[in-house]
Amino acid sequence: MPVSTVESIIYRLHEPLPMRFTAGMLVSSMYYVFSDTKIDALSEALAKNEDIFACAVVDRSMKVHGVIVRKDLFDILGRRFGRELYYNKTALDMIQRVQSFPYNIHVFECAKIIERDLLTGVQDYYVLLDDNGCYSGIFSTKDMLIFLSRLTRIDIDQAKRIISRIIKKEYIIKTKRLHIAVRTEMVQDIGGDSYYVLSSKSKNQHVIAVCDVSGKGIAASMITTLISGMISSYDFEKNSIEYFLIQLNNFIYTTFEGERFVTACFMLIDEDSGMLNMYDFGHSMTYLLRNNNMFKLSLKEINIPLGIQKMHSVNGGRAKIEPGDTIIAFTDGIIEQRNIEGKEYGVQRLNKLIIDNNTFDPMNTINAAFDTIKNYKGRYPQQDDMTLLCIRYE
């Protein structure tokens, strides 16, 4: 095994190239000393090399006895009569017994084994061994935490890129009689809000949805991706929206076993007839603006949120929209946003704002709402994701 000499008594292995996602990727020290090394000589060598924070103690066949941690050694020697007491001791007398792992053990398996150590916040050390049981390096709980943190950041960044392709911050579409605009503001990199607009190719019909996944992070992004995939691949021209919603609910429930759920409002709008079919899954934040009056669109029987339990049928409702009508749907992050006094923005403020700023361009209405909410919260942080959908029927 190739080595290099740092001091006459401290040696360093030439680090081999580890396999991907193995514990070898965690190695932060390749230093070692032999077990008969005197402590006074070792302390002098370490004093000259401040980058050596830990080294293994091995015999002449490179079998590991334990580890000497620089800080712990100097703490002992710094005590009263410390140097005198340990002057003639050897490295073997000062070792810390540590856990060992195969150099090519999978990093996640290793993390599972030392999970309790990771949760303590104390920096513990471990040694890695090659196929012959010989010394191959040292890593610590800190090294493992840094690796897992970086890996999580990579996963989050990738999830964020995927979600940003599915859920645009702003979306506008204008058809013959409909003008649809949506805006969403996430409180974190990956939020729980999502929206979907799918237009029929042969009919003047549109499936529109606003969803709010419980929780945040990777799991929420998985559900958002799942819903997007199912909506985009489903043939709404040949099959009913009710059947789709049943299948969507049952798939979310089967996949996440009730641990995650989605509040949602799905709408099917026929722009020729002005017929609106609505399916509310515990969302209840959809309103109709007509002649400067705001009406809440609600069902006699609201469905439970998607993913809580299996469904065999869904409840829906129908309404006729007229030229000049505006439909708004939003997530609770908007009305539950607080200001520095701890007061929520509320539905009444939002409805009044929509009425006062209703124009032929729904995105102008949406932007006015977000600007007002931003001013309302002031220095108070955004608490939850915010999504506002506005549909103008011409």
Side-chain angles (χ1 to χ4, degrees), residues 159 190-192 213-226 256 259-260:
I190 304 176
V213 181
S214 63
K216 303 289 184 292
I218 301 297
S221 71
M222 291 173 63
I223 295 180
T224 298
T225 307
L226 182 154
F256 293 90
E259 294 180 359
R260 296 277 177 160

Side-chain angles (χ1 to χ4, degrees), residues 2-208:
V3 299
S4 61
T5 304
V6 180
E7 291 287 329
S8 58
I9 59 169
I10 301 179
Y11 302 88
R12 185 182 187 280
L13 297 173
H14 291 307
E15 187 173 352
L17 183 65
M19 294 176 61
R20 195 169 181 226
F21 291 113
T22 61
M25 298 178 66
L26 306 174
V27 169
S28 56
S29 174
M30 300 294 290
Y31 298 104
Y32 68 93
V33 296
F34 290 111
S35 55
D36 57 356
T37 303
K38 296 294 184 180
I39 288 300
D40 59 331
L42 176 58
S43 63
E44 290 179 8
L46 289 174
K48 298 177 182 178
N49 295 273
E50 295 183 356
D51 61 324
I52 303 177
F53 54 86
C55 60
V57 178
V58 303
D59 60 21
R60 297 294 168 176
S61 62
M62 297 300 291
K63 303 296 182 181
V64 180
H65 292 292
V67 169
I68 288 182
V69 179
R70 173 195 185 89
K71 179 181 181 302
D72 295 344
L73 175 63
F74 285 139
D75 284 347
I76 292 173
L77 296 180
R79 296 172 186 169
R80 189 178 184 186
F81 304 119
R83 289 193 174 273
E84 289 78 6
L85 289 172
Y86 294 98
Y87 184 81
N88 291 318
K89 300 287 187 179
T90 65
L92 189 61
D93 297 317
M94 302 290 289
I95 61 171
Q96 295 182 21
R97 303 286 181 181
V98 296
Q99 193 171 1
S100 62
F101 295 95
Y103 188 80
N104 287 327
I105 185 175
H106 197 285
V107 69
F108 293 146
E109 181 182 351
C110 184
K112 187 175 181 180
I113 294 172
I114 66 171
E115 181 178 7
R116 183 173 298 179
D117 296 342
L118 295 173
L119 295 174
T120 63
V122 178
Q123 184 167 201
D124 293 317
Y125 292 87
Y126 312 90
V127 294
L128 297 179
L129 307 176
D130 64 16
D131 294 338
N132 298 316
C134 298
Y135 174 62
S136 292
I138 296 172
F139 75 94
S140 68
T141 49
K142 179 181 178 181
D143 299 320
M144 177 67 83
L145 289 170
I146 290 173
F147 174 83
L148 295 176
S149 176
R150 288 174 178 170
L151 196 63
T152 301
R153 184 70 254 173
I154 291 172
D155 287 343
I156 290 175
D157 288 343
Q158 186 174 20
K160 182 182 177 182
R161 288 194 297 272
I162 293 172
I163 293 301
S164 66
R165 297 186 191 115
I166 298 173
I167 310 299
K168 304 294 185 183
K169 185 176 180 179
E170 293 184 358
Y171 178 84
I172 301 173
I173 182 173
K174 192 169 184 180
T175 65
K176 184 179 179 181
R177 303 193 68 178
L178 289 179
H179 195 169
I180 304 169
V182 198
R183 177 174 165 183
T184 186
E185 294 284 351
M186 301 295 185
V187 71
Q188 298 178 5
D189 288 343
I190 304 176
D193 281 9
S194 60
Y195 64 86
Y196 309 91
V197 179
L198 185 68
S199 300
S200 170
K201 295 180 180 178
S202 61
K203 303 176 182 178
N204 287 331
Q205 293 183 341
H206 310 271
V207 175
I208 304 167

Side-chain angles (χ1 to χ4, degrees), residues 20 24 47 57 95 102 106 115 136 152 206 230 234 246 268 272 278 281 283 301 325 345:
R20 195 169 181 226
V57 178
I95 61 171
H106 197 285
E115 181 178 7
S136 292
T152 301
H206 310 271
M230 291 188 69
Y234 188 79
I246 293 170
L268 175 63
D272 289 335
M278 191 178 82
F281 296 86
H283 199 75
E301 192 173 347
D325 284 352
Y345 186 72

